[in-house]
Amino acid sequence: MNELTPHPSELTPYQKDAIGRAAHLRQEVTSFQHTWPRLNSAEMLPPITWSELERQLQSLSVTPAGAMMVHDLVAATRKQASFKPNELVMREILCIASAVMDETFLSDSSSSDLEEQDPII
């Protein structure tokens, strides 16, 4: 084995990062389940597709910048949804909705951009 090849028992940086992300996700799920134990309710929400969710969130967005972020936010939520309790996924969707419906969301960067373009004298 040469010095560039890791020892079989050593993890690559990519493997260490993947393990760290998995551990963080597991901790997030465990913490959520501790705070919000599963309810014994059989009532389900109507089924909805990710595309329908994305379309509605874009429609609810109060700014073009918010609408443009929706696709990436929904994609990230969807990617991890199978590893999380349904209620946690719903909570994340509600957070996305809240952010894109907030007129002040991203206003710090927007206002600083405007100040650079048109300084007040």
Side-chain angles (χ1 to χ4, degrees), residues 56-70 97 99-102:
Q56 291 305 312
L57 289 170
Q58 286 173 337
S59 172
L60 290 170
S61 180
V62 293
T63 65
M68 287 177 32
M69 291 178 14
V70 168
V100 301
M101 293 172 68
D102 181 356

Side-chain angles (χ1 to χ4, degrees), residues 37-112:
R38 190 169 185 90
L39 297 174
N40 293 327
S41 175
E43 289 186 59
M44 300 290 288
L45 292 170
I48 183 170
T49 67
W50 289 100
S51 296
E52 291 168 333
L53 172 65
E54 186 174 326
R55 178 173 58 186
Q56 291 305 312
L57 289 170
Q58 286 173 337
S59 172
L60 290 170
S61 180
V62 293
T63 65
M68 287 177 32
M69 291 178 14
V70 168
H71 175 75
D72 292 335
L73 293 170
V74 170
T77 303
R78 182 181 185 181
K79 185 191 296 186
Q80 293 191 343
S82 63
F83 304 108
K84 296 181 178 183
N86 292 341
E87 190 175 2
L88 179 53
V89 174
M90 179 189 66
R91 185 181 181 95
E92 291 177 0
I93 291 167
L94 293 171
C95 289
I96 293 169
S98 176
V100 301
M101 293 172 68
D102 181 356
E103 293 175 350
T104 64
F105 188 65
L106 296 177
S107 65
D108 289 341
S109 63
S110 300
S111 63
S112 65

